[in-house]
């Protein structure tokens, strides 16, 4: 008989860190609100959520890695927004941040969920930081709960 392992969306008992970049805080603030809403609605106790602020996307991987390595959290949600500017600066930032959080998750074995928006315009970013269904922070919270519950079972 095949043993199927799946994560539920029950957040009870999970400890979660949100790492939020202040850069583009019009967007990242909405994403963090969405993430908090998603965690609470799925049963995570607010005492079990730590909300860590960092200056920009480039600083998200180091803070996420430290949080993950601390052993205090079942998952980390990395929240940032990289919006295209006049130069290719944004591409370097987005690439390093993306590689950095993926590496941090693999190094620590703790899931770090990608609650990040990369967009060409502010309007596109606003669209993805909107209400429940279209808020990337909210969906990142659901992903964090699901993958944390999978990892708990896989060991
Ligand atoms: N940080 C962001 O979070 N988003 C951006 O779009 C961005 N751009 O394009 O400049 C950005 N820059 C700041 C960067 O993340 C660092 O905080 C800074 O370079 C200091 O290390």
């Amino acid at each position: 008989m095949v043993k199927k392992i799946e994560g539920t969306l029950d957040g009870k008992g999970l400890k979660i860190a949100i790492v939020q970049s202040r850069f583009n805080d019009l967007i990242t603030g909405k994403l963090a609100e969405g993430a908090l809403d998603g965690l609470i609605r799925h049963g995570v106790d607010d005492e079990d959520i730590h909300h860590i602020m960092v200056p920009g996307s480039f600083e998200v991987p180091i803070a996420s890695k430290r949080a993950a390595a601390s052993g205090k959290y079942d998952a980390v949600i990395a929240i940032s927004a990289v919006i295209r500017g006049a130069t290719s600066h944004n591409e370097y930032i987005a690439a390093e941040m993306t590689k950095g959080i993926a590496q941090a998750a693999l190094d620590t074995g703790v899931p770090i969920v990608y609650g990040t928006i990369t967009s060409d315009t502010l309007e596109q970013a606003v669209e993805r930081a909107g209400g429940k269904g279209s808020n990337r922070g909210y969906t990142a919270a659901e992903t964090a709960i699901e993958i944390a519950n999978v990892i708990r079972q896989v060991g």
Side-chain angles (χ1 to χ4, degrees):
M1 173 90 164
V2 174
K3 179 174 163 58
K4 190 168 180 190
I5 295 174
E6 272 186 304
T8 67
L9 285 180
D10 180 3
K12 211 157 104 220
L14 293 178
K15 299 194 184 332
I16 309 284
I18 297 173
V19 175
Q20 180 197 338
S21 155
R22 268 187 226 288
F23 202 101
N24 288 323
D25 66 348
L26 182 73
I27 303 298
T28 63
K30 292 273 176 218
L31 296 176
E33 273 173 33
L36 283 165
D37 187 35
L39 294 174
I40 303 287
R41 275 176 195 259
H42 288 94
V44 180
D45 191 316
D46 62 1
E47 296 287 330
D48 290 332
I49 304 170
H50 288 176
H51 189 165
I52 301 162
M53 301 297 296
V54 298
S57 293
F58 199 74
E59 288 70 42
V60 167
I62 182 68
S64 299
K65 183 167 183 176
R66 286 296 186 104
S70 72
K72 291 189 210 159
Y73 308 109
D74 296 291
V76 177
I77 302 173
I79 287 187
S80 71
V82 183
I83 301 171
R84 184 177 295 282
T87 68
S88 54
H89 185 67
N90 66 298
E91 287 171 24
Y92 295 106
I93 301 274
E96 288 312 309
M97 182 264 303
T98 304
K99 269 191 281 168
I101 66 167
Q103 191 61 52
L106 294 175
D107 287 350
T108 59
V110 174
I112 303 177
V113 175
Y114 194 63
T116 286
I117 290 176
T118 55
S119 69
D120 287 333
T121 64
L122 181 61
E123 282 95 61
Q124 288 169 348
V126 168
E127 265 171 36
R128 292 173 211 162
K132 198 166 104 181
S134 62
N135 185 304
R136 224 188 140 80
Y138 188 94
T139 55
E142 290 185 325
T143 303
I145 292 168
E146 184 175 346
I147 186 65
N149 283 327
V150 169
I151 299 291
R152 275 196 165 179
Q153 293 173 76
V154 171

